[in-house]
Amino acid sequence: MSHIRKSFDRRDFLRATAGTTVALAAASVTGAAATPAAASSSLSIPKDRIGIQLYSVRDKVSSLGFAVVLAELARIGYQEIEFAGYTQSTSILGRQITLREIRTLLDDNGLRAVGSHVGIGNLRNNLQGELDAAEILGMPHLGTANAPSDTNTVAAYRAAADEFNVWGAAATARGLKLYQHNHSGEFAFATDQRSVRLYDVFLKNTDPRHVYLELDIYWAYVGQYRWPGFDPAAYVRNQPYRYPLFHMKDGDANAASGNGYDIVEFGAGDLPYEKFIRDIGPRASHIGIWEQDTAPNTQPNPPGSLGAADRSFTAIKGLLD
């Protein structure tokens, strides 16, 4: 297996690794491209497959390690794990943990690896190594949280789409799905064509058989606030099978913020999740993954970031119930 980069930065590469909760406080596109999984109810987000992006608890992965963190996440009720790197403090084992050891921890705790955020440079320079890692961990998806391009022109986004098509075809050949995770900037207008939204360029020019999307619902609403004129739910409703994964983070409206919202624990904000779920319709199943971008040490104590994970899981479960 090719060497996998060991250090990650949220915006430039991956999102770093994460890591205790209450117990630890004391101690395809439309139609042709893919066959959708059956939803467990009339909702398109199965309540028995709630996931977590480990970036949200990266401090605990770093300080306590995957073994402690994954056991606690399973206790809370999470089922799906999205990685943000595969490293932990070497003081825990005296060496770096291996991918096969992480897979054993997942299996031992009844957890599934659903995806991973890797840097776009890793896809460009070490794609087969990243696909190898995905196979070892048993994850069906591999993605990046980087924007398709740092140049906000139509031509640059078309070129990026061509690149993603090549990577996506390689993932498809290995039985995996490649995905791109948005922030707000993808919803800006192109600098060279002010009436063209960059996200639309990427969506139109990527092959629905090979390139999928993870809609970060919070950042989509920030994009709507900053560059009005679209409905986040409409993207999913129009091409439901291209969105196998959602990021479900909450935001509290704040007119003084340039984003229009502040990131908060799920259930503490006012993003219109009930309306969003109703508006996307039940045509495909989308795994809901909780994430909170804010620094873990800013979370209420006790018990910090895993406490936020616990409370947010309860809120998401309540929404889906």
Side-chain angles (χ1 to χ4, degrees):
M1 185 180 71
S2 302
H3 174 71
I4 297 174
R5 190 176 182 90
K6 293 298 185 182
S7 61
F8 311 98
D9 175 81
R10 173 175 179 86
R11 297 292 181 182
D12 297 331
F13 283 161
L14 319 181
R15 315 170 103 270
T17 343
T20 216
T21 134
V22 182
L24 299 177
S28 49
V29 102
T30 318
T35 302
S40 60
S41 69
S42 60
L43 293 180
S44 63
I45 306 174
K47 62 183 179 181
D48 59 347
R49 297 195 66 183
I50 300 172
I52 181 171
Q53 164 53 252
L54 290 184
Y55 185 76
S56 310
V57 290
R58 58 197 179 277
D59 61 322
K60 298 300 190 292
V61 168
S62 177
S63 63
L64 301 172
F66 283 111
V68 174
V69 171
L70 293 178
E72 180 60 12
L73 294 176
R75 185 199 69 78
I76 290 171
Y78 286 102
Q79 295 289 316
E80 311 279 354
I81 301 296
E82 185 180 40
F83 285 88
Y86 311 122
T87 63
Q88 62 184 25
S89 172
T90 54
S91 66
I92 296 169
L93 291 176
R95 58 172 173 79
Q96 193 47 246
I97 194 169
T98 68
L99 292 170
R100 295 192 185 281
E101 287 172 331
I102 296 174
R103 173 63 184 271
T104 297
L105 292 174
L106 290 168
D107 294 343
D108 287 349
N109 286 286
L111 298 168
R112 294 180 292 266
V114 69
S116 181
H117 284 185
V118 305
I120 198 167
N122 292 37
L123 298 177
R124 187 173 290 122
N125 301 316
N126 187 32
L127 178 60
Q128 292 303 321
E130 294 293 358
L131 295 173
D132 289 342
E135 287 188 345
I136 291 170
L137 292 171
M139 64 178 68
H141 310 94
L142 175 70
T144 183
N146 292 135
S149 174
D150 293 331
T151 303
N152 291 344
T153 64
V154 170
Y157 263 64
R158 283 177 176 164
D162 290 341
E163 201 169 27
F164 270 81
N165 286 335
V166 172
W167 301 336
T172 300
R174 300 275 294 263
L176 303 170
K177 291 182 179 180
L178 177 77
Y179 64 94
Q180 193 271 339
H181 166 284
N182 65 277
H183 289 87
S184 62
E186 289 90 324
F187 298 100
F189 293 103
T191 56
D192 57 339
Q193 296 186 42
R194 297 290 185 177
S195 64
V196 177
R197 199 177 298 276
L198 293 167
Y199 195 76
D200 296 343
V201 175
F202 186 71
L203 199 61
K204 179 180 179 181
N205 288 280
T206 45
D207 189 332
R209 298 172 301 171
H210 303 308
V211 181
Y212 298 85
L213 294 306
E214 176 179 61
L215 187 73
D216 188 300
I217 298 168
Y218 169 86
W219 286 116
Y221 277 103
V222 171
Q224 182 191 61
Y225 175 84
R226 296 179 65 187
W227 299 283
F230 74 95
D231 174 13
Y235 283 110
V236 183
R237 186 170 63 249
N238 292 337
Q239 301 191 54
Y241 307 126
R242 290 198 79 173
Y243 292 88
L245 308 172
F246 288 155
H247 265 199
M248 300 179 68
K249 65 168 62 76
D250 210 346
D252 195 31
N254 180 3
S257 167
N259 287 333
Y261 301 92
D262 295 324
I263 296 173
V264 294
E265 288 183 16
F266 200 93
D270 50 17
L271 284 185
Y273 271 95
E274 289 186 8
K275 182 179 186 300
F276 175 87
I277 292 172
R278 181 175 67 250
D279 288 351
I280 63 175
R283 292 171 56 202
S285 181
H286 318 276
I287 297 174
I289 300 170
W290 174 72
E291 183 190 40
Q292 192 162 331
D293 294 5
T294 47
N297 60 10
T298 67
Q299 303 306 323
N301 287 297
S305 61
L306 279 172
D310 196 343
R311 293 184 291 270
S312 293
F313 176 86
T314 299
I316 292 174
K317 187 71 161 49
L319 172 71
L320 300 180
D321 282 339

